[in-house]
Amino acid sequence: GKVSEVVPLLEEMRRGAYTIENAVAVDRFKTEFAAAMKKQDNASALKLVDGELKRMPDSLELAVAKTDILDRKLNRPEEARAVLESFVKTHPHQLPARELLIAFLRNHSLFEQIEGAAAEAAAEFAAEPAALVKLIGSELSCPPDFACPAALRHYASAISKCKCDTPRQQAVSDIVMSQVMGYFGNHEKAAELAERAAGSTDDDKTRDAAAKLARFHRSVLEAAKKLE
């Protein structure tokens, strides 16, 4: 095998998580699941995933596989959503699970539910600026028809109160808050935050990004003045 495969395997062995029985079971599942999907035998594929989830309840990959079968193959979106919600409930500090739940809700245009999921995520990661930056970035990258401003407000409120451990981390937080302010049309505050970020970090890449953002918002303010 590859070195990239051996390292995690050794880590599993160190923790006592790896056993021959588990390895055989995983290989059997992969073979049978692939065969079921190839035949479009969705009922059998779902049954296989359910069985594997009983053995590996902490596997987000299996939860996603079950969600996909229920939603895309069997047209049972409510059950699919329940799978992700249940996984988030039992694994509240797993950011990818929360991101997948929010993405699922967005794909189904369930914007009120997105706000609730975002509020819970903001509360869960209230002390982790890196996680909040990622959540804000995902929301800002959404096309207008799929955006949820209420979710963005929850994330912004959390990160505005969050303590950053390094100057660079604070600068990155200021940059995303600048982007949020710009999103809501407050270009003056956006420019101030970006300028603060540019002046508070020695990281060249972060400083340059902040300075570029500050110039953009200042140009928007200048253009607005000329139109008055």
Side-chain angles (χ1 to χ4, degrees):
K2 300 177 182 177
V3 172
S4 60
E5 296 173 347
V6 172
V7 173
L9 179 59
L10 290 173
E11 176 61 20
E12 286 188 18
M13 293 177 70
R14 185 186 67 78
R15 291 186 286 106
Y18 177 86
T19 65
I20 295 297
E21 290 80 3
N22 280 343
V24 170
V26 168
D27 285 342
R28 184 188 308 116
F29 164 76
K30 288 180 178 178
T31 300
E32 293 177 353
F33 181 76
M37 294 301 290
K38 186 176 182 180
K39 293 187 295 182
Q40 297 186 5
D41 185 354
N42 299 315
S44 293
L46 183 61
K47 185 177 180 180
L48 285 165
V49 172
D50 276 336
E52 198 70 357
L53 270 170
K54 290 178 181 177
R55 198 174 64 83
M56 300 174 63
D58 297 327
S59 172
L60 178 57
E61 291 80 5
L62 288 171
V64 170
K66 182 173 182 177
T67 299
D68 190 64
I69 294 170
L70 288 168
D71 187 36
R72 298 176 185 271
K73 304 295 184 181
L74 299 176
N75 194 29
R76 289 151 57 181
E78 288 299 321
E79 292 178 60
R81 172 184 161 191
V83 172
L84 288 176
E85 288 177 334
S86 177
F87 193 91
V88 166
K89 186 175 181 179
T90 55
H91 303 78
H93 210 65
Q94 191 167 138
L95 181 60
R98 290 188 180 274
E99 291 178 306
L100 286 167
L101 172 59
I102 290 170
F104 179 91
L105 295 172
R106 198 185 310 279
N107 289 338
H108 289 272
S109 299
L110 299 171
F111 294 104
E112 289 185 8
Q113 288 81 358
I114 290 175
E115 180 181 1
E120 291 179 2
E124 180 67 28
F125 295 99
E128 299 181 37
L132 294 169
V133 164
K134 191 173 183 184
L135 289 166
I136 290 172
S138 295
E139 193 60 45
L140 287 172
S141 67
C142 288
D145 290 345
F146 289 91
C148 182
L152 200 54
R153 288 189 178 94
H154 285 297
Y155 301 146
S157 176
I159 202 169
S160 68
K161 304 168 187 173
C162 195
K163 181 181 178 182
C164 294
D165 295 327
T166 66
R168 182 183 178 279
Q169 192 176 71
Q170 182 61 61
V172 170
S173 294
D174 284 341
I175 287 172
V176 297
M177 277 300 293
S178 173
Q179 293 171 324
V180 171
M181 291 298 104
Y183 178 90
F184 288 116
N186 189 343
H187 294 283
E188 182 65 46
K189 184 64 175 177
E192 291 174 4
L193 285 163
E195 287 163 353
R196 185 172 79 177
S200 65
T201 179
D202 293 329
D203 182 76
D204 291 341
K205 186 176 180 180
T206 305
R207 184 176 60 247
D208 290 347
K212 182 178 180 180
L213 187 61
R215 289 194 297 271
F216 167 76
H217 288 297
R218 288 300 176 194
S219 69
V220 171
L221 290 167
E222 286 297 320
K225 284 182 181 180
K226 291 178 181 179
L227 293 174
E228 291 177 354

